[in-house]
PDB file of all heavy atoms in Angstrom:
ATOM      1  N   PHE A   1       0.823  -1.224   0.007  1.00 94.00           N
ATOM      2  CA  PHE A   1       0.002  -0.002  -0.008  1.00 94.00           C
ATOM      3  C   PHE A   1       0.857   1.256  -0.010  1.00 94.00           C
ATOM      4  O   PHE A   1       0.494   2.288  -0.581  1.00 94.00           O
ATOM      5  CB  PHE A   1      -0.956  -0.011   1.198  1.00 94.00           C
ATOM      6  CG  PHE A   1      -1.906  -1.194   1.193  1.00 94.00           C
ATOM      7  CD1 PHE A   1      -1.685  -2.268   2.016  1.00 94.00           C
ATOM      8  CD2 PHE A   1      -2.983  -1.209   0.355  1.00 94.00           C
ATOM      9  CE1 PHE A   1      -2.525  -3.371   1.986  1.00 94.00           C
ATOM     10  CE2 PHE A   1      -3.855  -2.294   0.320  1.00 94.00           C
ATOM     11  CZ  PHE A   1      -3.625  -3.376   1.159  1.00 94.00           C
ATOM     12  N   TYR A   2       2.025   1.198   0.659  1.00 96.00           N
ATOM     13  CA  TYR A   2       2.958   2.304   0.601  1.00 96.00           C
ATOM     14  C   TYR A   2       3.457   2.518  -0.852  1.00 96.00           C
ATOM     15  O   TYR A   2       3.561   3.648  -1.324  1.00 96.00           O
ATOM     16  CB  TYR A   2       4.139   2.100   1.541  1.00 96.00           C
ATOM     17  CG  TYR A   2       3.745   2.124   3.004  1.00 96.00           C
ATOM     18  CD1 TYR A   2       3.987   1.029   3.828  1.00 96.00           C
ATOM     19  CD2 TYR A   2       3.140   3.245   3.573  1.00 96.00           C
ATOM     20  CE1 TYR A   2       3.624   1.043   5.182  1.00 96.00           C
ATOM     21  CE2 TYR A   2       2.769   3.268   4.911  1.00 96.00           C
ATOM     22  CZ  TYR A   2       3.020   2.155   5.703  1.00 96.00           C
ATOM     23  OH  TYR A   2       2.660   2.175   7.028  1.00 96.00           O
ATOM     24  N   VAL A   3       3.736   1.410  -1.513  1.00 96.00           N
ATOM     25  CA  VAL A   3       4.173   1.470  -2.907  1.00 96.00           C
ATOM     26  C   VAL A   3       3.045   2.085  -3.759  1.00 96.00           C
ATOM     27  O   VAL A   3       3.299   2.968  -4.597  1.00 96.00           O
ATOM     28  CB  VAL A   3       4.508   0.065  -3.454  1.00 96.00           C
ATOM     29  CG1 VAL A   3       4.733   0.101  -4.948  1.00 96.00           C
ATOM     30  CG2 VAL A   3       5.755  -0.473  -2.751  1.00 96.00           C
ATOM     31  N   HIS A   4       1.805   1.616  -3.537  1.00 95.00           N
ATOM     32  CA  HIS A   4       0.651   2.147  -4.281  1.00 95.00           C
ATOM     33  C   HIS A   4       0.514   3.650  -4.073  1.00 95.00           C
ATOM     34  O   HIS A   4       0.332   4.407  -5.050  1.00 95.00           O
ATOM     35  CB  HIS A   4      -0.614   1.427  -3.792  1.00 95.00           C
ATOM     36  CG  HIS A   4      -1.830   1.755  -4.600  1.00 95.00           C
ATOM     37  ND1 HIS A   4      -3.039   1.151  -4.399  1.00 95.00           N
ATOM     38  CD2 HIS A   4      -2.065   2.671  -5.577  1.00 95.00           C
ATOM     39  CE1 HIS A   4      -3.931   1.642  -5.236  1.00 95.00           C
ATOM     40  NE2 HIS A   4      -3.365   2.585  -5.944  1.00 95.00           N
ATOM     41  N   LEU A   5       0.630   4.110  -2.840  1.00 95.00           N
ATOM     42  CA  LEU A   5       0.461   5.533  -2.534  1.00 95.00           C
ATOM     43  C   LEU A   5       1.555   6.368  -3.233  1.00 95.00           C
ATOM     44  O   LEU A   5       1.256   7.404  -3.830  1.00 95.00           O
ATOM     45  CB  LEU A   5       0.488   5.764  -1.020  1.00 95.00           C
ATOM     46  CG  LEU A   5       0.365   7.214  -0.558  1.00 95.00           C
ATOM     47  CD1 LEU A   5      -0.950   7.828  -1.030  1.00 95.00           C
ATOM     48  CD2 LEU A   5       0.490   7.290   0.954  1.00 95.00           C
ATOM     49  N   ILE A   6       2.788   5.921  -3.149  1.00 96.00           N
ATOM     50  CA  ILE A   6       3.914   6.682  -3.746  1.00 96.00           C
ATOM     51  C   ILE A   6       3.738   6.807  -5.264  1.00 96.00           C
ATOM     52  O   ILE A   6       3.888   7.861  -5.853  1.00 96.00           O
ATOM     53  CB  ILE A   6       5.252   6.041  -3.373  1.00 96.00           C
ATOM     54  CG1 ILE A   6       5.532   6.199  -1.890  1.00 96.00           C
ATOM     55  CG2 ILE A   6       6.388   6.655  -4.195  1.00 96.00           C
ATOM     56  CD1 ILE A   6       6.666   5.368  -1.360  1.00 96.00           C
ATOM     57  N   ILE A   7       3.403   5.664  -5.907  1.00 96.00           N
ATOM     58  CA  ILE A   7       3.211   5.670  -7.356  1.00 96.00           C
ATOM     59  C   ILE A   7       2.000   6.501  -7.751  1.00 96.00           C
ATOM     60  O   ILE A   7       2.018   7.188  -8.777  1.00 96.00           O
ATOM     61  CB  ILE A   7       3.112   4.242  -7.908  1.00 96.00           C
ATOM     62  CG1 ILE A   7       4.466   3.519  -7.746  1.00 96.00           C
ATOM     63  CG2 ILE A   7       2.681   4.221  -9.360  1.00 96.00           C
ATOM     64  CD1 ILE A   7       4.486   2.099  -8.238  1.00 96.00           C
ATOM     65  N   GLU A   8       0.956   6.473  -6.928  1.00 95.00           N
ATOM     66  CA  GLU A   8      -0.229   7.314  -7.185  1.00 95.00           C
ATOM     67  C   GLU A   8       0.134   8.790  -7.176  1.00 95.00           C
ATOM     68  O   GLU A   8      -0.322   9.550  -8.028  1.00 95.00           O
ATOM     69  CB  GLU A   8      -1.311   7.010  -6.154  1.00 95.00           C
ATOM     70  CG  GLU A   8      -2.504   7.930  -6.207  1.00 95.00           C
ATOM     71  CD  GLU A   8      -3.221   7.940  -7.553  1.00 95.00           C
ATOM     72  OE1 GLU A   8      -3.364   6.875  -8.159  1.00 95.00           O
ATOM     73  OE2 GLU A   8      -3.626   9.047  -7.971  1.00 95.00           O
ATOM     74  N   LEU A   9       0.961   9.203  -6.238  1.00 95.00           N
ATOM     75  CA  LEU A   9       1.369  10.617  -6.146  1.00 95.00           C
ATOM     76  C   LEU A   9       2.239  10.993  -7.350  1.00 95.00           C
ATOM     77  O   LEU A   9       2.115  12.112  -7.886  1.00 95.00           O
ATOM     78  CB  LEU A   9       2.139  10.859  -4.821  1.00 95.00           C
ATOM     79  CG  LEU A   9       1.301  10.716  -3.551  1.00 95.00           C
ATOM     80  CD1 LEU A   9       2.189  10.850  -2.334  1.00 95.00           C
ATOM     81  CD2 LEU A   9       0.170  11.734  -3.509  1.00 95.00           C
ATOM     82  N   ILE A  10       3.112  10.073  -7.782  1.00 96.00           N
ATOM     83  CA  ILE A  10       3.916  10.345  -8.978  1.00 96.00           C
ATOM     84  C   ILE A  10       3.018  10.432 -10.214  1.00 96.00           C
ATOM     85  O   ILE A  10       3.184  11.332 -11.055  1.00 96.00           O
ATOM     86  CB  ILE A  10       4.968   9.233  -9.167  1.00 96.00           C
ATOM     87  CG1 ILE A  10       5.975   9.252  -8.001  1.00 96.00           C
ATOM     88  CG2 ILE A  10       5.729   9.412 -10.500  1.00 96.00           C
ATOM     89  CD1 ILE A  10       6.905   8.040  -7.993  1.00 96.00           C
ATOM     90  N   ALA A  11       2.050   9.516 -10.301  1.00 96.00           N
ATOM     91  CA  ALA A  11       1.094   9.528 -11.431  1.00 96.00           C
ATOM     92  C   ALA A  11       0.302  10.814 -11.470  1.00 96.00           C
ATOM     93  O   ALA A  11       0.009  11.354 -12.554  1.00 96.00           O
ATOM     94  CB  ALA A  11       0.166   8.324 -11.345  1.00 96.00           C
ATOM     95  N   GLN A  12      -0.035  11.348 -10.292  1.00 96.00           N
ATOM     96  CA  GLN A  12      -0.780  12.619 -10.249  1.00 96.00           C
ATOM     97  C   GLN A  12       0.036  13.761 -10.823  1.00 96.00           C
ATOM     98  O   GLN A  12      -0.509  14.620 -11.543  1.00 96.00           O
ATOM     99  CB  GLN A  12      -1.193  12.927  -8.803  1.00 96.00           C
ATOM    100  CG  GLN A  12      -1.998  14.212  -8.640  1.00 96.00           C
ATOM    101  CD  GLN A  12      -3.371  14.169  -9.271  1.00 96.00           C
ATOM    102  OE1 GLN A  12      -3.782  13.160  -9.847  1.00 96.00           O
ATOM    103  NE2 GLN A  12      -4.106  15.264  -9.200  1.00 96.00           N
ATOM    104  N   ALA A  13       1.336  13.775 -10.556  1.00 96.00           N
ATOM    105  CA  ALA A  13       2.195  14.811 -11.134  1.00 96.00           C
ATOM    106  C   ALA A  13       2.231  14.704 -12.653  1.00 96.00           C
ATOM    107  O   ALA A  13       2.204  15.718 -13.368  1.00 96.00           O
ATOM    108  CB  ALA A  13       3.608  14.674 -10.561  1.00 96.00           C
ATOM    109  N   VAL A  14       2.251  13.469 -13.173  1.00 96.00           N
ATOM    110  CA  VAL A  14       2.233  13.233 -14.624  1.00 96.00           C
ATOM    111  C   VAL A  14       0.906  13.707 -15.215  1.00 96.00           C
ATOM    112  O   VAL A  14       0.861  14.334 -16.281  1.00 96.00           O
ATOM    113  CB  VAL A  14       2.494  11.763 -14.940  1.00 96.00           C
ATOM    114  CG1 VAL A  14       2.304  11.490 -16.430  1.00 96.00           C
ATOM    115  CG2 VAL A  14       3.901  11.361 -14.502  1.00 96.00           C
ATOM    116  N   ARG A  15      -0.203  13.391 -14.525  1.00 96.00           N
ATOM    117  CA  ARG A  15      -1.525  13.829 -15.007  1.00 96.00           C
ATOM    118  C   ARG A  15      -1.574  15.345 -15.120  1.00 96.00           C
ATOM    119  O   ARG A  15      -2.075  15.914 -16.102  1.00 96.00           O
ATOM    120  CB  ARG A  15      -2.631  13.371 -14.049  1.00 96.00           C
ATOM    121  CG  ARG A  15      -2.819  11.858 -13.951  1.00 96.00           C
ATOM    122  CD  ARG A  15      -3.937  11.507 -13.012  1.00 96.00           C
ATOM    123  NE  ARG A  15      -3.919  10.081 -12.668  1.00 96.00           N
ATOM    124  CZ  ARG A  15      -3.620   9.612 -11.455  1.00 96.00           C
ATOM    125  NH1 ARG A  15      -3.366  10.448 -10.464  1.00 96.00           N
ATOM    126  NH2 ARG A  15      -3.589   8.323 -11.226  1.00 96.00           N
ATOM    127  N   MET A  16      -1.075  16.029 -14.092  1.00 96.00           N
ATOM    128  CA  MET A  16      -1.057  17.489 -14.075  1.00 96.00           C
ATOM    129  C   MET A  16      -0.227  18.022 -15.259  1.00 96.00           C
ATOM    130  O   MET A  16      -0.640  18.977 -15.940  1.00 96.00           O
ATOM    131  CB  MET A  16      -0.494  18.001 -12.766  1.00 96.00           C
ATOM    132  CG  MET A  16      -1.410  17.738 -11.563  1.00 96.00           C
ATOM    133  SD  MET A  16      -0.537  17.707  -9.981  1.00 96.00           S
ATOM    134  CE  MET A  16       0.246  19.287  -9.955  1.00 96.00           C
ATOM    135  N   LYS A  17       0.914  17.416 -15.490  1.00 96.00           N
ATOM    136  CA  LYS A  17       1.797  17.846 -16.577  1.00 96.00           C
ATOM    137  C   LYS A  17       1.130  17.720 -17.936  1.00 96.00           C
ATOM    138  O   LYS A  17       1.321  18.586 -18.838  1.00 96.00           O
ATOM    139  CB  LYS A  17       3.084  16.983 -16.553  1.00 96.00           C
ATOM    140  CG  LYS A  17       4.160  17.413 -17.516  1.00 96.00           C
ATOM    141  CD  LYS A  17       4.833  18.697 -17.062  1.00 96.00           C
ATOM    142  CE  LYS A  17       6.023  19.028 -17.976  1.00 96.00           C
ATOM    143  NZ  LYS A  17       6.628  20.333 -17.585  1.00 96.00           N
ATOM    144  N   ILE A  18       0.308  16.689 -18.135  1.00 96.00           N
ATOM    145  CA  ILE A  18      -0.365  16.477 -19.429  1.00 96.00           C
ATOM    146  C   ILE A  18      -1.617  17.324 -19.583  1.00 96.00           C
ATOM    147  O   ILE A  18      -1.866  17.897 -20.626  1.00 96.00           O
ATOM    148  CB  ILE A  18      -0.703  14.984 -19.589  1.00 96.00           C
ATOM    149  CG1 ILE A  18       0.566  14.147 -19.668  1.00 96.00           C
ATOM    150  CG2 ILE A  18      -1.561  14.748 -20.857  1.00 96.00           C
ATOM    151  CD1 ILE A  18       0.322  12.636 -19.627  1.00 96.00           C
ATOM    152  N   VAL A  19      -2.404  17.423 -18.510  1.00 96.00           N
ATOM    153  CA  VAL A  19      -3.740  18.019 -18.625  1.00 96.00           C
ATOM    154  C   VAL A  19      -3.745  19.537 -18.462  1.00 96.00           C
ATOM    155  O   VAL A  19      -4.458  20.248 -19.205  1.00 96.00           O
ATOM    156  CB  VAL A  19      -4.721  17.377 -17.586  1.00 96.00           C
ATOM    157  CG1 VAL A  19      -6.062  18.098 -17.598  1.00 96.00           C
ATOM    158  CG2 VAL A  19      -4.902  15.895 -17.891  1.00 96.00           C
ATOM    159  N   LEU A  20      -3.011  20.071 -17.502  1.00 96.00           N
ATOM    160  CA  LEU A  20      -3.080  21.515 -17.201  1.00 96.00           C
ATOM    161  C   LEU A  20      -2.820  22.413 -18.396  1.00 96.00           C
ATOM    162  O   LEU A  20      -3.509  23.434 -18.536  1.00 96.00           O
ATOM    163  CB  LEU A  20      -2.147  21.846 -16.040  1.00 96.00           C
ATOM    164  CG  LEU A  20      -2.519  21.209 -14.684  1.00 96.00           C
ATOM    165  CD1 LEU A  20      -1.540  21.667 -13.589  1.00 96.00           C
ATOM    166  CD2 LEU A  20      -3.944  21.504 -14.295  1.00 96.00           C
ATOM    167  N   PRO A  21      -1.832  22.107 -19.276  1.00 96.00           N
ATOM    168  CA  PRO A  21      -1.637  22.972 -20.449  1.00 96.00           C
ATOM    169  C   PRO A  21      -2.854  23.041 -21.375  1.00 96.00           C
ATOM    170  O   PRO A  21      -3.020  24.018 -22.087  1.00 96.00           O
ATOM    171  CB  PRO A  21      -0.443  22.312 -21.169  1.00 96.00           C
ATOM    172  CG  PRO A  21       0.282  21.563 -20.100  1.00 96.00           C
ATOM    173  CD  PRO A  21      -0.770  21.074 -19.167  1.00 96.00           C
ATOM    174  N   LYS A  22      -3.709  22.016 -21.342  1.00 95.00           N
ATOM    175  CA  LYS A  22      -4.892  22.005 -22.210  1.00 95.00           C
ATOM    176  C   LYS A  22      -5.905  23.058 -21.816  1.00 95.00           C
ATOM    177  O   LYS A  22      -6.776  23.447 -22.611  1.00 95.00           O
ATOM    178  CB  LYS A  22      -5.549  20.626 -22.174  1.00 95.00           C
ATOM    179  CG  LYS A  22      -4.688  19.524 -22.750  1.00 95.00           C
ATOM    180  CD  LYS A  22      -5.407  18.169 -22.735  1.00 95.00           C
ATOM    181  CE  LYS A  22      -4.527  17.078 -23.351  1.00 95.00           C
ATOM    182  NZ  LYS A  22      -5.201  15.775 -23.419  1.00 95.00           N
ATOM    183  N   ILE A  23      -5.852  23.533 -20.555  1.00 95.00           N
ATOM    184  CA  ILE A  23      -6.798  24.566 -20.091  1.00 95.00           C
ATOM    185  C   ILE A  23      -6.047  25.828 -19.681  1.00 95.00           C
ATOM    186  O   ILE A  23      -6.554  26.656 -18.920  1.00 95.00           O
ATOM    187  CB  ILE A  23      -7.681  24.051 -18.924  1.00 95.00           C
ATOM    188  CG1 ILE A  23      -6.837  23.505 -17.781  1.00 95.00           C
ATOM    189  CG2 ILE A  23      -8.643  22.969 -19.431  1.00 95.00           C
ATOM    190  CD1 ILE A  23      -7.654  23.167 -16.548  1.00 95.00           C
ATOM    191  N   ASP A  24      -4.808  25.991 -20.166  1.00 95.00           N
ATOM    192  CA  ASP A  24      -3.974  27.167 -19.894  1.00 95.00           C
ATOM    193  C   ASP A  24      -3.807  27.431 -18.403  1.00 95.00           C
ATOM    194  O   ASP A  24      -3.930  28.564 -17.921  1.00 95.00           O
ATOM    195  CB  ASP A  24      -4.575  28.403 -20.579  1.00 95.00           C
ATOM    196  CG  ASP A  24      -4.683  28.232 -22.081  1.00 95.00           C
ATOM    197  OD1 ASP A  24      -3.825  27.533 -22.645  1.00 95.00           O
ATOM    198  OD2 ASP A  24      -5.626  28.795 -22.675  1.00 95.00           O
TER     199      ASP A  24
END
């Protein structure tokens, strides 16, 4: 579960990097 949480937080940073530029 610690592994899951850490990877989830990393994945969230990737999501932000991809999606946020689409809405300026």
Side-chain angles (χ1 to χ4, degrees):
F1 299 102
Y2 293 122
V3 171
H4 187 175
L5 179 60
I6 292 168
I7 292 180
E8 172 58 40
L9 294 175
I10 296 170
Q12 181 66 2
V14 173
R15 295 181 194 111
M16 291 157 57
K17 187 72 174 177
I18 295 171
V19 174
L20 295 183
K22 295 182 179 182
I23 55 173
D24 300 329

